[in-house]
Amino acid sequence: MAQILGGVMTSHVPAIGRAIHKGLQDDPYWQPFFAGFKPVHEWLAQALPDVVVVFYNDHGLNFFLDKMPTFSIGAAPEYRNADEGWGIPQVPAFPGEQDLSWHLIESLVEDEFDVTTCQEMLVDHAFTLPMALLWPDQTWPVKVVPICINTVQFPLPTAARCWKLGQAVGRAVRAWDSDAKVMVLGTGGLSHQLDGERAGFINKEFDLQFMDSLVSDNPAWATQFSVRDLVEKAGTQGIELLMWLATRGALGDSVEEIHRNYHIPISNTAAGLMLLAPA
Ligand code: DHB
Ligand code: FE
């Protein structure tokens, strides 16, 4: 049976793509952010995952307001990026792990999660940038399964529902008839708000408590909050922390914290990074 090695949660911001493109990793503004990934690179070099299940939120590239699935899963042979409005970044296509995609889709529907199946799927910065942060040379040594959670158009799924989705994904991966080594990647957050009266809003106290809760005895702490509560605490786009909850849910009952980094700000965003492994 397949094995889950660990999970990485990280923020995603389009400006990271520009910094990579311009080689600004050691620039004083960017250094505290990029340096946070060194322990993750060391862990990856040891763990050598074969497959990455990525929880992320599309921002209008693959799904738009006319059709917005709450939960969707890629089942494509490969995934490509496309222009999000600031020029097309050249990233190699990501090879899909279709056997795991279909196993997850069947398991999740059986488990009463009515996911949308995508045999074609474009992936946006929320997918491509975290992959490039984990594998900076962008020669992807892994196959991928994208799982997209709607954070763009209300109503959004609750924190409790995303937690349960993650748990169901974890159970399904561990029951997958394969000897693959799988890791989970969740991208979004932490607190930030890009628009409206509270544009620029960041809540460090909440972010740190949220990160702690993912390792403590009560990792489901955040599931007590409604989506509206979370928007109030973390900002309209900070709600992307739902990806962190799903990722944590997939890792099983208890986890060990291997690494974390937290830096304010990257663009308008509180940038968080965690690496957790099943205990
Ligand atoms: C920005 C975009 C994002 O998707 C995000 O999560 C954070 C910041 C931005 O445009 O700055
Ligand atoms: Fe985002």
Side-chain angles (χ1 to χ4, degrees), residues 12 57 59 125 192 240:
H12 61 234
N57 58 286
H59 300 72
H125 70 271
H192 63 296
E240 293 176 343

Side-chain angles (χ1 to χ4, degrees), residues 45-62:
Q46 289 277 317
L48 294 176
D50 305 301
V51 182
V52 188
V53 175
V54 187
F55 289 101
Y56 77 108
N57 58 286
D58 182 80
H59 300 72
L61 179 70
N62 192 67

